[in-house]
Amino acid sequence: MATETTALTTKVVSGSPYQLDRPQTLKASSALLKHIESEAKRKELTSTTQNLLADNDSSSDATSNNEPLWLVVAAKKHIVDKMRLKPGKIPIQHSLNASPTSTICLITADPQRQYKDIIAHPSFPPPLAARITRVIGIGKVKARYKSFESRRQLLSEHDIFLADDRIITRLPEILGKVFYKGIKRPIPIRLSPFTPRKDTSEKRPPPSKSSDVKSIAPPAQCAREIERALSCTHVRISPAATTSIRVGLSSFTPEQVADNVEAVVNGLTEKYITKGWRNIKSIHIKGPNTMAIPIWLADELWVEEKDILEDEEAKRIEERAKQKGKKRKSPDGGDGGRQKKKARKLEDSDFGNEMAERRKKLRQQKEQARGEVDGTAIVQKTRISKEPNGKKMKATTEKAKVVTTPA
């Protein structure tokens, strides 16, 4: 009787295996949403405190409607080599910032008056202008919000933060970890004037790096850029093999979550992950306090065939690793290291004796030369005598000065 095996994920029956299986994504999304809803109800029943922020007219699961859902993508190799302060954008079908009651804070380049006039212009969409409750320049942000308390207060006053892409790389140093450790990181938008592309295949020209930071796009163009930023999810890639991206909220349906997951995965493989699907190891979906549910798992743990080592080469590398920490022995099997040390010590002792003899002869030559200059000569006499027991002979050297007279 054949044994039954249950796989964690399912792959598509036909076509390339490097694609998502729609039924598997729907299954994981529905399971995750049900778990979040049941946990919210359980906490509400077991909790002894009342949530004062919840509305009385709302349903029992109102507190869990805004919990984010994360897509966790693990790669086989590092996605990038260095940290990027400017996040990327991936368009999704169901926006995460579509709530009409959410407030927006717009951080702009100096001076801020031009941007306030643009938002107050009649051609700017009134519903979007009503959501933008504050426009502040980077100079005032740097001057007013220096303490952690003031930054936390600014963070709590608004739901979404937008920033001009010309100053987005300066904000981490100004706003600090109060903003960048959560999900309210400033979203970059392009507010400088540019010419719309006629061909979608062409890349948009980069913003000008001139010193004139007062240039600003027309109101209609700024509104389109803000709406586009709100309808995208943002990719913040670091030098690691794993990245997490928001793909939905706990108030979404499984179909909405599945649509966003497919859009994000396609955007990552086409633009951000090197080698695309070949470099993806696994894809999971999770909530803030839940386990990760697998959606797609790779069958191969390598990117290219050249990354695989043959059996002989692998054994050779293992042998080198084992021998790396061991002491080397002499070819004849003996301990050659000790013999070399002994020979070196003998050579050092012989050399020391030779140098002592040389110094002794040099001193004698100096004394003899000094005596010739003074008119005296030093004569050495060696006398051999016996010790009292008569068994050992003793040699002694005596020095005597002889006065020499010139002829």
Side-chain angles (χ1 to χ4, degrees), residues 38-90:
S38 62
E39 282 294 312
K41 291 181 179 179
R42 185 187 63 81
K43 288 182 179 179
E44 185 179 359
L45 294 174
T46 57
S47 177
T48 58
T49 59
Q50 184 181 2
N51 186 7
L52 300 178
L53 299 178
D55 297 333
N56 295 329
D57 299 335
S58 61
S59 59
S60 60
D61 60 344
T63 56
S64 63
N65 282 344
N66 292 328
E67 288 190 6
L69 305 181
W70 298 90
L71 185 73
V72 183
V73 180
K76 300 173 184 176
K77 294 183 178 180
H78 278 204
I79 302 174
V80 292
D81 296 333
K82 59 182 180 179
M83 189 71 177
R84 296 180 181 178
L85 296 177
K86 189 175 181 180
K89 300 176 184 177
I90 298 179

Side-chain angles (χ1 to χ4, degrees), residues 141-155:
V141 173
K142 189 174 182 180
R144 293 182 182 179
Y145 301 97
K146 293 182 179 181
S147 63
F148 288 104
E149 291 79 8
S150 59
R151 293 175 186 175
R152 282 194 290 266
Q153 183 179 1
L154 177 64
L155 183 68

Side-chain angles (χ1 to χ4, degrees), residues 267-302:
L268 283 174
T269 54
E270 292 174 2
K271 187 176 180 181
Y272 295 99
I273 298 181
T274 310
K275 303 292 183 180
W277 275 99
R278 295 284 298 178
N279 194 20
I280 294 180
K281 184 179 179 181
S282 64
I283 301 174
H284 295 72
I285 188 172
K286 69 182 296 294
N289 302 310
T290 65
M291 298 291 290
I293 301 177
I295 294 178
W296 187 89
L297 300 176
D299 296 330
E300 302 170 346
L301 299 180
W302 56 87

